[in-house]
Amino acid sequence: MSEIRGIYTLWLREVKKFLREKPRLINAFCQPLIWLFIFGTGMRFSAGIPGINYQEFIFPGLITQAMLFTAMFMGISVIWDREFGFMKEILVSPISRPSIFLGKMIGVSTDVMIQGIIIFPFALLIGIPLNFFMVIKALPIMLLVTFGLVCIGLIFASLMKSFEGFGLIQTFINLPMFFLSGALFPLSQVPEWLQVVSYANPLTYGVDALRTVMMGESWVQLFPMELDLAVLIGFDILMFAIGTAAFSRIE
Amino acid sequence: MNQIIIETDNLTKKFGSNIAVDNISLSIKRGEVFGLLGPNGAGKTTLLSMLCTILKPTSGTARINGYDIIRDNSRVRKSIGIVFQDPSVDTDMTARENLQMHADLYGVPVSEQKERIKDVLNLVGLSDKAEDFLNTYSGGMRRRLEIARGLLHYPRVLFLDEPTIGLDPRSREHIWDYIRMLRKREDMTVILTTHYMEEADRLCDRIAIIDRGKIIILDKPDVLKGGIGKDTVILITDEPDKLQTILTGENISGDIRISGREVKVEVSHANLLLPKIMESAIKAGIRIESVTISNPDMNDVFIHYTGKNLSDDETRERTGRVAMMKRRRAR
């Protein structure tokens, strides 16, 4: 019982901090807008994909991207906690390490879901035919994507001693995962090596599943929905296990 | 009630070949204010970290409130409150939120949380600042909040690691007051590390001096000070050389030194010998401008047992305060 209370308080802290930081919220709102309007419009008219509205095509990809970046950034906040000492307060409390991990994980995941959901209204702005059922179907998929990503962020944070490594994560995790997920271009027309690498990226399955529920007829699925979900669930379980182990080792 | 609340049993911590804590066995009674004194790197914080279950001992163990620090660390954690040397509050949250989180993490019953938070805020005098974010707090206020936080779950033992380091004298006095008050109010045991000699002297029932991972000596402050047994009488006069000669002739002390206009006389009992010193001076027609008696302080004890003085920056600050204290005592 007291463990649950502890998890709850860690969750509440993450969400409060996320919602309080106004610049981050403004950024969360505006960045996808820039991608959609400028990048999306430019690509649509210069390198369009036949038979597909490019903005409609990248929309699920941008949701994924926003979630990916938020997951990494908020996960890394563990390093802040360590730097400013609050981590110590958590670590010496009677609550167990797996519970600390769970509390952080659920908290950051909530932030990431908020970030993802913020973007939906833009779909209507740029004329994507999005309906209520699509959103309802998209949410569980987003949640599956979120859990795994947040775990990755927390794992890195538990291994890193300072903020200096954050640039490395940006370059070697965020960008490759984003570019290799098929978020910006269809993977059906790329060279084989790129396809192989992308298929090794769990985000590819998340993007594919989101497009399947949000684009309807105009999207030709890369994989069957069952496979997408199975890969995402497997990814979540694996990352959760590694994350729990990583947190248990923090001193 | 002379119940033992903390008992360590050959507690040892090695970092590679460096032995930070070396076979320490000690017991601390319920309700004691116990001081761990030592220079930086002596092993105070390492010892404390092991007792707080943050660090695993290399060998040996300890029991706190009857629970083993290795096998039963969750119960140990519920029994103790900790105020770290470095700040450990969330500055993006309000004081109340920080306390609320602590109450939740330590499983304080929800029905009692509000009342207890109110109580501890009152205790440290921060009730009117409860809704302020901690990034608006001063260092002293944060430290007070940390003490309040450490008390929230009614610990049996409160660990204070350098509780007043980096604080101004007023905040320091404040914190001393709380520590004394706590001790009176409930039978809480307080373990305090410090390298401020005066702080240890004024607060602690017993003091252990630690150096290189070992306890060199452990006793009541008065006993420690009495144990090295020398007072110094400082006389200021225009004729220091003459005074020295006369006092040496009277066989008052074997250790009489001159520095400038000061004559320092080391004696075993200043209060008994002072009249004799004054008499001799008057007889010889030497005008004494002022007299100061200085009893040995914890710093003398420390130097006596460790052969070390404190590092430079600490010494500078200390001499200022000790001088002030001596003046107070001399009155």
Side-chain angles (χ1 to χ4, degrees):
Chain A
M1 186 56 216
S2 61
E3 292 279 316
I4 291 171
R5 192 77 199 168
I7 293 169
Y8 161 78
T9 207
L10 291 174
W11 168 80
L12 188 66
R13 170 171 180 261
E14 289 304 325
V15 177
K16 269 186 184 168
K17 285 180 88 124
F18 182 74
L19 294 178
R20 271 179 191 167
E21 207 157 303
K22 297 291 177 283
R24 182 161 52 214
L25 277 183
I26 292 169
N27 187 45
F29 222 77
C30 296
Q31 211 183 44
L33 211 63
I34 290 172
W35 277 95
L36 265 183
F37 276 102
I38 303 175
F39 186 79
T41 309
M43 290 298 280
R44 180 179 172 185
F45 290 102
S46 59
I49 305 156
I52 287 179
N53 175 341
Y54 186 72
Q55 281 162 318
E56 195 178 329
F57 171 82
I58 58 165
F59 186 71
L62 290 183
I63 290 180
T64 317
Q65 180 238 24
M67 296 200 307
L68 168 68
F69 285 19
T70 309
M72 291 303 157
F73 191 78
M74 292 302 289
I76 294 296
S77 71
V78 169
I79 296 172
W80 280 121
D81 286 348
R82 199 175 353 222
E83 206 112 301
F84 291 105
F86 188 73
M87 197 65 188
K88 249 186 179 171
E89 153 82 353
I90 301 174
L91 290 177
V92 298
S93 72
I95 180 172
S96 73
R97 295 297 156 88
S99 296
I100 294 174
F101 180 69
L102 196 64
K104 273 262 167 202
M105 204 276 273
I106 299 173
V108 177
S109 295
T110 309
D111 301 342
V112 172
M113 286 302 284
I114 294 170
Q115 167 70 73
I117 292 166
I118 283 177
I119 302 171
F120 275 114
F122 298 140
L124 304 172
L125 266 180
I126 54 167
I128 297 174
L130 193 68
N131 66 40
F132 181 69
F133 288 107
M134 289 178 181
V135 177
I136 292 299
K137 282 192 225 160
L139 288 179
I141 298 170
M142 284 164 63
L143 205 56
L144 288 179
V145 172
T146 298
F147 283 146
L149 290 179
V150 171
C151 289
I152 294 183
L154 292 176
I155 291 165
F156 277 108
S158 73
L159 300 176
M160 281 162 52
K161 293 277 174 248
S162 74
F163 248 99
E164 278 147 32
F166 187 64
L168 286 177
I169 291 192
Q170 188 79 14
T171 306
F172 288 101
I173 304 290
N174 281 1
L175 293 182
M177 276 190 98
F178 174 42
F179 288 136
L180 294 173
S181 67
L184 297 178
F185 45 83
L187 293 173
S188 46
Q189 291 151 29
V190 297
E192 206 187 329
W193 68 265
L194 194 55
Q195 210 170 35
V196 170
V197 185
S198 297
Y199 285 0
N201 177 3
L203 268 196
T204 303
Y205 302 84
V207 173
D208 185 48
L210 281 177
R211 285 203 178 116
T212 306
V213 298
M214 289 168 73
M215 290 175 70
E217 296 298 300
S218 54
W219 172 245
V220 184
Q221 286 174 253
L222 288 176
F223 306 102
M225 184 55 108
E226 299 82 52
L227 180 65
D228 285 338
L229 295 182
V231 169
L232 289 176
I233 291 171
F235 166 61
D236 289 351
I237 292 174
L238 181 67
M239 289 304 132
F240 187 76
I242 297 175
T244 311
F247 260 61
S248 301
R249 282 191 21 238
I250 297 181
E251 278 218 342
Chain B
M1 230 180 28
N2 270 355
Q3 222 175 321
I4 301 295
I5 187 100
I6 296 181
E7 197 169 22
T8 77
D9 183 11
N10 290 314
L11 203 57
T12 301
K13 181 73 189 179
K14 292 181 191 164
F15 296 106
S17 61
N18 173 29
I19 304 174
V21 170
D22 192 358
N23 267 303
I24 287 187
S25 297
L26 59 87
S27 29
I28 296 170
K29 284 180 237 128
R30 189 178 293 263
E32 249 189 313
V33 175
F34 189 91
L36 291 167
L37 205 62
N40 286 328
K44 290 171 293 177
T45 300
T46 307
L47 175 60
L48 215 67
S49 300
M50 286 191 285
L51 293 177
C52 298
T53 75
I54 304 166
L55 264 182
K56 278 219 169 72
T58 309
S59 63
T61 188
R63 273 168 306 284
I64 296 182
N65 199 22
Y67 304 120
D68 188 282
I69 57 164
I70 300 167
R71 276 173 296 142
D72 231 349
N73 68 30
S74 174
R75 287 218 191 99
V76 170
R77 286 170 179 207
K78 279 199 171 157
S79 314
I80 62 178
I82 311 167
V83 177
F84 296 106
Q85 187 169 339
D86 308 313
S88 66
V89 289
D90 189 340
T91 51
D92 295 335
M93 296 268 173
T94 66
R96 186 181 302 284
E97 283 171 332
N98 266 282
L99 296 174
Q100 179 71 51
M101 285 191 287
H102 185 89
D104 284 337
L105 289 171
Y106 281 77
V108 174
V110 181
S111 55
E112 290 178 30
Q113 289 185 353
K114 228 180 159 179
E115 196 61 32
R116 285 207 206 173
I117 289 174
K118 206 178 114 196
D119 281 351
V120 294
L121 280 171
N122 240 334
L123 178 75
V124 296
L126 288 171
S127 299
D128 52 334
K129 304 262 189 227
E131 315 304 333
D132 291 6
F133 284 89
L134 293 194
N135 47 27
T136 66
Y137 269 39
S138 70
M141 285 159 72
R142 280 184 207 179
R143 194 46 63 88
R144 272 148 67 195
L145 186 76
E146 286 180 312
I147 293 179
R149 187 178 68 178
L151 298 172
L152 202 53
H153 55 284
Y154 294 168
R156 311 302 309 153
V157 182
L158 183 65
F159 288 98
L160 302 168
D161 192 5
E162 303 280 1
T164 60
I165 201 165
L167 297 185
D168 59 78
R170 220 183 116 227
S171 311
R172 192 170 284 164
E173 290 285 347
H174 256 302
I175 285 174
W176 290 355
D177 287 342
Y178 299 132
I179 295 172
R180 287 197 199 98
M181 186 159 64
L182 287 175
R183 206 189 125 195
K184 258 190 231 158
R185 217 178 61 150
E186 33 224 310
D187 68 329
M188 188 184 293
T189 310
V190 178
I191 315 292
L192 166 92
T193 77
T194 184
H195 54 231
Y196 294 126
M197 305 296 150
E198 183 199 353
E199 181 165 290
D201 190 6
R202 288 176 61 180
L203 287 175
C204 300
D205 298 314
R206 285 197 302 158
I207 292 174
I209 294 182
I210 298 191
D211 196 20
R212 291 191 204 129
K214 280 187 192 294
I215 292 183
I216 296 172
I217 189 151
L218 190 170
D219 220 317
K220 294 183 178 122
D222 291 340
V223 178
L224 289 177
K225 285 183 292 183
I228 60 170
K230 276 202 188 112
D231 296 343
T232 308
V233 179
I234 301 167
L235 304 130
I236 296 181
T237 171
D238 288 330
E239 301 165 281
D241 297 307
K242 193 174 166 194
L243 185 62
Q244 186 188 31
T245 318
I246 286 176
L247 292 179
T248 311
E250 297 270 336
N251 238 343
I252 284 188
S253 164
D255 188 357
I256 303 176
R257 275 165 295 159
I258 299 177
S259 69
R261 297 178 59 227
E262 278 184 6
V263 179
K264 289 184 180 175
V265 187
E266 294 248 313
V267 291
S268 51
H269 296 286
N271 45 350
L272 298 179
L273 280 167
L274 187 58
K276 208 173 162 198
I277 293 173
M278 294 306 288
E279 211 175 293
S280 313
I282 290 164
K283 240 192 260 168
I286 300 169
R287 206 182 82 83
I288 308 279
E289 212 167 281
S290 82
V291 181
T292 311
I293 295 178
S294 122
N295 310 104
D297 56 24
M298 280 313 292
N299 194 49
D300 300 321
V301 174
F302 189 79
I303 294 168
H304 181 85
Y305 286 109
T306 64
K308 270 184 213 161
N309 208 331
L310 295 160
S311 65
D312 283 342
D313 55 325
E314 287 150 13
T315 315
R316 213 180 308 126
E317 192 190 4
R318 189 193 58 80
T319 38
R321 278 185 299 126
V322 170
M324 211 170 71
M325 223 174 59
K326 283 182 177 166
R327 243 173 279 136
R328 225 179 289 145
R329 276 192 197 149
R331 262 179 229 145

